[in-house]
Amino acid sequence: MIHELLLALSGYPGTIFTWNKRTGLQVSQDLPFLHPSETSVLNRLCKLGSDYIRFTEFIEQHTGHVHQQEHHTNQPNQTGLHGIYLRAFCTGLDSMLQPYRQTLLDLEQEFLGDPHLTISHVNYKLDQFQLLFPSVMVVVEAIKSQKIHGCQILETVYKHSCGGLPPVRMALEKILAVCHGVMYKQLAAWMLHGLLLDQSEEFFVKQGPSAGGAAANQEEEEEDLGLGGLSGKQLRELQDLRLIEEENMLAPSLQQFSLRTEMLPSYIPIRVAEKILFVGESVQMFENHNHNPSRAGSILKHQEDTFAAELHKLKQQPLFSLVDFENLMDRIRSTVAEHLWTLMVEESDLLEQLKIIKDFYLLGRGELYQVFIDLAQHMLKTPPTAVTEHDVNVAFQQAAHKVLLDDDNLLPLLHLTVDYQGKDSKDGSGPRDGATPPQDTSPREVPPTGWAALGLIYKVQWPLHILFTPAVLEKSVLVLVSYYGCLPIMYLLESNC
């Protein structure tokens, strides 16, 4: 009967030890040669076998790593659970069961060598798992019942590993280390290459705007991101200003990212997640949208291999260290921020771009607009037509030449727009890229004058498009991410007419 017991504990029940889906593994009731005390000991051991069978069923259902037993239901996954973090959890769970399997093999060898060993010897050898299996089963049942997904699995395993039982804590820490391996791979792809490898929406970084300011409910520290004194909290506030309707004005290749705070484990502070988001967005923008050959290179200064090795080193640590983790995030962030500062402020001449915004959007070049008003007044005092926009731009260029505008490379980047009835239908695709209607006038309503339909487009050069967005050029406030901007100036011009 000992061999039948060992087989049942290995997941292969029979006639002496029967399996029931509801009650688990139990000793058959119609065995007259068993004393009640022996039945009690065997049923105690059968609880271990029941947990082991359920563990293997769970692993088989979600990974297929364990050979399917006779009592398993050969059905597809119907729980809705999926994802790479779940597979990593199952991998860690399977490795946790390896000592149990080895103990059963050792017992088999011992009983072959000494047939006089008793059930008490089996009970003694397996006693170390009596506390472990029920505690880990609580974690498995929580994942199944609450449908815990993605990085939330890290939080669940972490909370249950903070107990006072050393065997349970050590086992769950090993499982957590396996799950962290997935997170480090996603971090390496995101922070070093700008790739968001998250098909099942499991990572705490997502593509798209933040969901209703969930991060605002958490404590945010004024952590300097190294970009001109911009803090993590300020970066989030700036990003939250990007309304969904602005997506129609963005270049198709430019993507927006935000934090999925419900997926962020509690032992990773929001300030660290902000740094991860900042680095990944910067690398993604630089690597995927740099079409200027003169600026070819790496935003990480060709330290990708170094940072990848350090991330791998963190992955090999048995316990997660927030100090080591944040120190590495800070070093990567500092490297990216330094490069962005050089690229934007020095190479792209950010101050000169601000001067352009002041001169043309805030009417800093008053003499230019005074001459333009004189030249275009007769064109714009009547309702606009299909040729008004062309004529206005010719007048704008003539005004620039009359006031001796000394930058010949600037005029091609500026373009005046005039909306008129029927323009959208002729264009076919609505407003041109980067342009917004100058005012909230219905498309079917004829503008009373050309001044009421006048707008200005400025084509912002890479990489300053991440600062000068449509909202920036429309409100004269710094936000993030676009190629073009448009700010109507008809009211200012009308006031001078």
Side-chain angles (χ1 to χ4, degrees):
M1 188 185 69
I2 294 297
H3 296 288
E4 285 79 2
L5 173 62
L6 295 179
L7 280 173
L9 295 178
S10 300
Y12 296 92
T15 55
I16 298 179
F17 300 94
T18 59
W19 169 259
N20 182 278
K21 191 68 177 178
R22 185 176 60 86
T23 60
L25 197 64
Q26 286 185 330
V27 183
S28 179
Q29 300 295 325
D30 53 354
L31 299 177
F33 56 85
L34 286 180
H35 190 272
S37 61
E38 292 179 314
T39 303
S40 176
V41 173
L42 289 173
N43 281 329
R44 184 172 184 267
L45 290 172
C46 285
K47 291 181 181 178
L48 288 180
S50 299
D51 289 340
Y52 177 77
I53 290 174
R54 292 191 173 99
F55 287 147
T56 56
E57 284 181 338
F58 183 80
I59 296 170
E60 168 66 22
Q61 187 177 20
H62 298 293
T63 67
H65 288 174
V66 178
H67 295 294
Q68 189 169 327
Q69 314 296 350
E70 295 177 359
H71 53 275
H72 291 178
T73 56
N74 189 15
Q75 297 178 353
N77 180 9
Q78 299 179 358
T79 65
L81 295 174
H82 62 282
I84 53 178
Y85 282 90
L86 181 63
R87 292 179 65 90
F89 175 82
C90 291
T91 301
L93 180 61
D94 188 58
S95 64
M96 183 211 74
L97 296 176
Q98 189 57 37
Y100 174 81
R101 301 189 187 103
Q102 186 60 46
T103 301
L104 293 180
L105 290 176
D106 295 340
L107 283 171
E108 180 76 15
Q109 294 295 326
E110 292 177 9
F111 276 99
L112 290 175
D114 185 0
H116 302 290
L117 292 175
T118 63
I119 297 174
S120 297
H121 181 70
V122 179
N123 188 40
Y124 165 73
K125 286 288 188 178
L126 297 178
D127 189 65
Q128 57 182 315
F129 302 102
Q130 292 290 351
L131 290 176
L132 176 61
F133 278 17
S135 299
V136 177
M137 182 58 67
V138 172
V139 180
V140 173
E141 291 298 330
I143 293 175
K144 292 169 60 178
S145 61
Q146 301 175 27
K147 299 188 183 301
I148 297 175
H149 179 63
C151 285
Q152 293 174 336
I153 293 178
L154 300 179
E155 175 68 13
T156 301
V157 177
Y158 171 75
K159 288 195 301 185
H160 285 85
S161 69
C162 295
L165 298 175
V168 177
R169 184 179 67 250
M170 293 174 61
L172 291 179
E173 285 173 350
K174 290 180 180 178
I175 296 177
L176 187 60
V178 177
C179 295
H180 279 154
V182 176
M183 183 185 72
Y184 282 119
K185 288 182 179 180
Q186 287 184 315
L187 284 175
W190 172 243
M191 300 183 70
L192 304 184
H193 306 287
L195 301 175
L196 185 59
L197 305 180
D198 188 25
Q199 295 181 351
S200 301
E201 299 182 351
E202 301 176 271
F203 197 39
F204 52 80
V205 174
K206 67 175 181 178
Q207 182 177 337
S210 57
N217 297 329
Q218 302 188 26
E219 182 179 358
E220 293 178 329
E221 300 184 15
E222 292 292 332
E223 181 66 22
D224 185 11
L225 289 177
L227 184 60
L230 189 65
S231 69
K233 183 178 180 180
Q234 291 169 340
L235 181 62
R236 292 263 53 79
E237 292 174 349
L238 293 177
Q239 287 179 315
D240 288 341
L241 293 176
R242 293 175 288 179
L243 303 178
I244 297 177
E245 53 266 25
E246 290 182 10
E247 293 180 359
N248 296 328
M249 298 184 290
L250 298 180
S253 60
L254 197 61
Q255 299 173 342
Q256 175 186 355
F257 299 91
S258 59
L259 290 179
R260 187 183 285 116
T261 52
E262 67 274 11
M263 289 292 180
L264 185 65
S266 62
Y267 52 87
I268 299 180
I270 190 72
R271 68 174 186 274
V272 180
E274 296 283 2
K275 299 171 188 176
I276 294 171
L277 176 64
F278 167 75
V279 171
E281 279 188 318
S282 302
V283 174
Q284 199 270 348
M285 178 273 297
F286 188 88
E287 298 292 343
N288 296 344
H289 308 293
N290 182 11
H291 304 297
N292 191 340
S294 64
R295 287 172 177 160
S298 168
I299 195 173
L300 292 171
K301 300 181 178 179
H302 302 289
Q303 298 186 55
E304 289 89 348
D305 291 342
T306 301
F307 291 138
E310 295 190 23
L311 282 171
H312 181 73
K313 184 178 179 181
L314 288 180
K315 176 185 173 183
Q316 300 302 316
Q317 292 182 356
L319 296 178
F320 179 84
S321 172
L322 178 60
V323 174
D324 296 340
F325 182 78
E326 187 170 5
N327 285 341
L328 178 57
M329 299 301 107
D330 283 337
R331 293 206 306 275
I332 300 177
R333 180 212 62 184
S334 298
T335 302
V336 170
E338 181 181 350
H339 187 93
L340 283 179
W341 173 267
T342 302
L343 188 63
M344 292 186 177
V345 178
E346 298 179 5
E347 296 184 15
S348 298
D349 200 356
L350 176 61
L351 296 180
E352 180 62 26
Q353 296 295 318
L354 292 173
K355 183 176 181 298
I356 292 173
I357 298 299
K358 172 180 175 290
D359 288 346
F360 292 94
Y361 279 87
L362 303 181
L363 304 185
R365 295 295 300 266
E367 73 281 9
L368 169 65
Y369 284 104
Q370 186 61 53
V371 174
F372 171 73
I373 290 172
D374 294 338
L375 293 175
Q377 185 173 4
H378 69 283
M379 308 174 193
L380 297 175
K381 65 182 179 181
T382 58
T385 63
V387 298
T388 303
E389 182 173 319
H390 174 267
D391 295 341
V392 165
N393 278 281
V394 172
F396 187 75
Q397 293 180 13
Q398 292 175 352
H401 291 306
K402 284 188 176 183
V403 299
L404 302 178
L405 188 65
D406 53 0
D407 192 349
D408 294 335
N409 296 324
L410 181 58
L411 282 180
L413 302 178
L414 294 166
H415 183 79
L416 291 174
T417 62
V418 178
D419 289 336
Y420 60 91
Q421 189 178 29
K423 180 178 181 180
D424 290 345
S425 60
K426 289 184 179 181
D427 291 344
S429 58
R432 61 193 298 167
D433 290 341
T436 54
Q439 63 183 31
D440 296 334
T441 303
S442 172
R444 298 180 181 179
E445 181 181 348
V446 180
T449 65
W451 295 113
L454 187 64
L456 176 63
I457 293 175
Y458 174 54
K459 184 177 181 180
V460 183
Q461 301 300 302
W462 186 97
L464 294 177
H465 62 280
I466 70 171
L467 294 178
F468 297 103
T469 68
V472 168
L473 300 178
E474 188 169 334
K475 302 173 185 177
S476 298
V477 180
L478 290 180
V479 214
L480 290 175
V481 188
S482 180
Y483 284 112
Y484 307 100
C486 179
L487 173 65
I489 59 174
M490 59 285 180
Y491 295 118
L492 294 172
L493 294 175
E494 274 189 313
S495 63
N496 291 327
C497 290

